[in-house]
Amino acid sequence: MLILGIESTCDETAASVVKDGNEVLSNIVASQEKLHLEFGGVVPEIACRAHLDAITIVIDKAVSGANIELKDLDAIAVANTPGLVGALLIGVTAAKSMAWALNIPLIAVNHLYAHLYSVNLSQKRVQYPLIGLLASGGHTSLFLAENVTDYKYLGGTLDDAAGEAFDKVSKILGLGYPGGPEIDKASKSGFRDAVKFPRSYLKKDSLDFSFSGLKTAVLYHYYGKPGFKNSVDRETKACASPHSIGDIAASFQEAVVEVLVNKTMLAFQKQKRISSPAGIAVGGGVTRNARLREKFEEAANDMDIPVHYPEPEHCTDNAAMIAGLAFHNFKKGDAAGLALEAFPNYRR
Ligand code: KG4
Ligand code: ZN
């Protein structure tokens, strides 16, 4: 079955043709990184305009790149939740128009579940149930993936997402956007135990996350606490810390990674008695982080738990994960009608 997937939830316009859920025939992503660079984050109005400009070109490229014609497609899939409402509507409208014009089924896909499904692309065999950690620019959540299509929410961030914290700290340190890859790179020249930044675990056994206090701790460390001796004027962008950017980046990264890994391991332990998970799946842009993978390997190897990662090109937003999961949703009888709506918020 050939499915065209469309993804436009945030700042990437993407389309992909996937055969039978895991054979990726094309994977086209038009990134808006350059447009949002000067703002250090995604500007919704700019994102929507860029989606409009790119969507038909990206879809054309995905179809021709798969060496097929539109008439060969069996269904159209689209991420209709969660995301920026204007951005979602562009993908949903394109998908509906194509499904109607080609007279083929339309399949709705949850963007978060698709990130966790992405470990199945590239024709791997993954055993379920799994504990899923989704760490991206917009979300940081833990799920129990009962099988490829059924996900139960276990916990999530109460404030900033992990990727958002990387982006904001990168801005504080005067590094580029998106911040994750910049901090990942800068960390290589620093010591991760140089600065002891706080780790927020919230209540005992909590599976929720909070990264805003850590972000503020980096801000105060970098500029000094406002009004205190040695603090510097933020306008000057001067660093008040005796540590190098590499040290601060590595220490911040260690604090995020430690909490992500420890909470995922806690979720695994808690679910062990209830649902006997067979392993862990991680997904989302932050799972490209080299230290996160290293730390997962350390923790999981000790406990003999398999950890599944997507290929690097399937970690950040892409449409292959949308078309892939859509195949299984459709097999389950889950097709959408042309009245499909876009839902900006995640609904458990
Ligand atoms: O999954 P994604 O493309 O978008 C959302 O669904 O939000 O994730 C983008 C996020 C950005 O915040 C970016 O800084 C982060 O993923 N990211 C990383 C790395 N590469 C991308 N974070 C940490 N380390 C990386 N190597
Ligand atoms: Zn995403």
Side-chain angles (χ1 to χ4, degrees), residues 111 115 136 317:
H111 176 88
H115 266 303
S136 69
D317 284 349

Side-chain angles (χ1 to χ4, degrees), residues 276-327:
S276 307
I280 290 169
V282 296
V286 180
T287 58
R288 274 194 176 182
N289 187 273
R291 181 64 186 146
L292 179 76
R293 291 186 179 216
E294 203 175 89
K295 199 105 181 143
F296 258 124
E297 288 309 310
E298 284 168 16
N301 272 350
D302 283 352
M303 294 154 90
D304 211 15
I305 302 168
V307 184
H308 307 284
Y309 308 95
E311 301 296 327
E313 70 271 24
H314 301 142
C315 286
T316 40
D317 284 349
N318 67 89
M321 64 183 191
I322 308 298
L325 178 53
F327 172 73

